[in-house]
Amino acid sequence: MTRLAAHTALVTGAGAGIGRAIALRLAAEGAKVAVNDLSPDRAAETVALIEKAGGEALPTPGDVSSPEAVEAMYSTAESAWGRVTLAVNNAGIVHQAKLEDLAVEDFDRMIAVHLRGCFLGCRRAINPMLAAGQGVIVNIASQLGQIGGIELAHYSAAKAGIIGLTKSLAREVSSRGVRVNAVAPGPIATELVMALSDDWRAAKTAELPLGRFGAPEDVAATVAFLASEDAKIYVGQTLGPNSGDVML
């Protein structure tokens, strides 16, 4: 498929899980993909998978909570291919704790990676897009940012912030040619989610109308749609591949 052949994409947190699935899907649809991950080895692994399938990619490792690292990853992509036309802010971490036991350091790190990282990615991507009068930003939130999550208050707060950031930015820039939307997955069978307690996963599965977690590829398909012209009138939306956990 070549639906996204006009795009040069940068996907954060693309060394595994949802991010890797997104990078692979975008590349399969024709986009060039800059692959970010905190781990250089994981970023390189995703690049190798894309290249093996005949796509074009390059690694841009770095910490998304660092302005200097975000600048470096965008500069690398721009040096190779020119302007980044599609920014997917996906990088995230998971940590489980009741709020009464939650350390300030764990709260701060959750906000730094998810919300600050999303903000920095949006801020770095937006000016070249506005100068060109076109571009797409997709921010990865979570259904827990809409309904909250037991023992995941800090995660839920960070994801709710991403949804608010997405809506605000969409209102600022849509009239100038840049589309901004969010994806709020439900529980997805990734390494991060499977690291949560057995009790948590069992309880969440029981709550889902579909009765099962989704796959990273389900989220990737949603991102590819939002990146495409098929989604040309989607602005400030939060799409929910969530097994029915949230129904709007």
Side-chain angles (χ1 to χ4, degrees):
M1 295 184 290
T2 58
R3 181 170 62 161
L4 303 179
H7 274 304
T8 296
L10 193 152
V11 183
T12 65
I18 290 172
R20 175 171 285 181
I22 292 170
L24 292 173
R25 178 62 182 260
L26 298 181
E29 295 209 29
K32 300 180 181 70
V33 183
V35 177
N36 163 263
D37 199 84
L38 185 61
S39 164
D41 290 342
R42 285 195 170 192
E45 289 170 3
T46 301
V47 169
L49 289 171
I50 291 172
E51 292 177 339
K52 183 178 180 180
E56 189 172 352
L58 58 81
T60 57
D63 183 347
V64 297
S65 70
S66 163
E68 294 78 15
V70 172
E71 175 60 37
M73 67 181 71
Y74 271 85
S75 294
T76 297
E78 290 167 347
S79 295
W81 300 321
R83 185 173 60 89
V84 171
T85 63
L86 168 59
V88 182
N89 296 301
N90 163 80
I93 57 175
V94 173
H95 170 263
Q96 185 176 357
K98 294 179 180 178
L99 192 140
E100 69 254 33
D101 301 324
L102 185 58
V104 171
E105 294 80 8
D106 288 326
F107 180 88
D108 287 347
R109 182 59 181 162
M110 191 69 69
I111 297 297
V113 174
H114 288 276
L115 185 52
R116 177 182 166 97
C118 183
F119 157 69
L120 291 174
C122 288
R123 189 181 68 163
R124 180 55 179 81
I126 199 66
N127 284 330
M129 291 180 179
L130 290 174
Q134 59 182 3
V136 177
I137 295 175
V138 180
N139 297 323
I140 307 303
S142 167
Q143 102 284 14
L144 298 185
Q146 298 169 308
I147 62 174
I150 294 171
E151 298 180 351
L152 292 169
H154 49 336
Y155 179 88
S156 302
K159 291 301 194 179
I162 288 174
I163 293 171
L165 174 65
T166 298
K167 291 178 180 180
S168 297
L169 183 57
R171 291 187 181 279
E172 290 183 8
V173 302
S174 295
S175 64
R176 293 184 278 169
V178 181
R179 290 192 297 107
V180 186
N181 291 286
V183 178
I188 303 296
T190 64
E191 180 180 327
L192 288 180
V193 172
M194 300 310 285
L196 296 171
S197 70
D198 292 344
D199 288 345
W200 190 96
R201 288 185 284 110
K204 178 52 68 175
T205 300
E207 293 173 0
L208 300 175
L210 196 60
R212 61 178 175 84
F213 288 11
E217 291 75 19
D218 298 323
V219 183
T222 308
V223 173
F225 164 70
L226 286 174
S228 75
E229 282 298 300
D230 295 331
K232 61 188 176 184
I233 65 167
Y234 281 71
V235 172
Q237 300 302 304
T238 302
L239 300 193
N242 61 36
S243 300
D245 204 21
V246 176
M247 298 183 184
L248 298 176

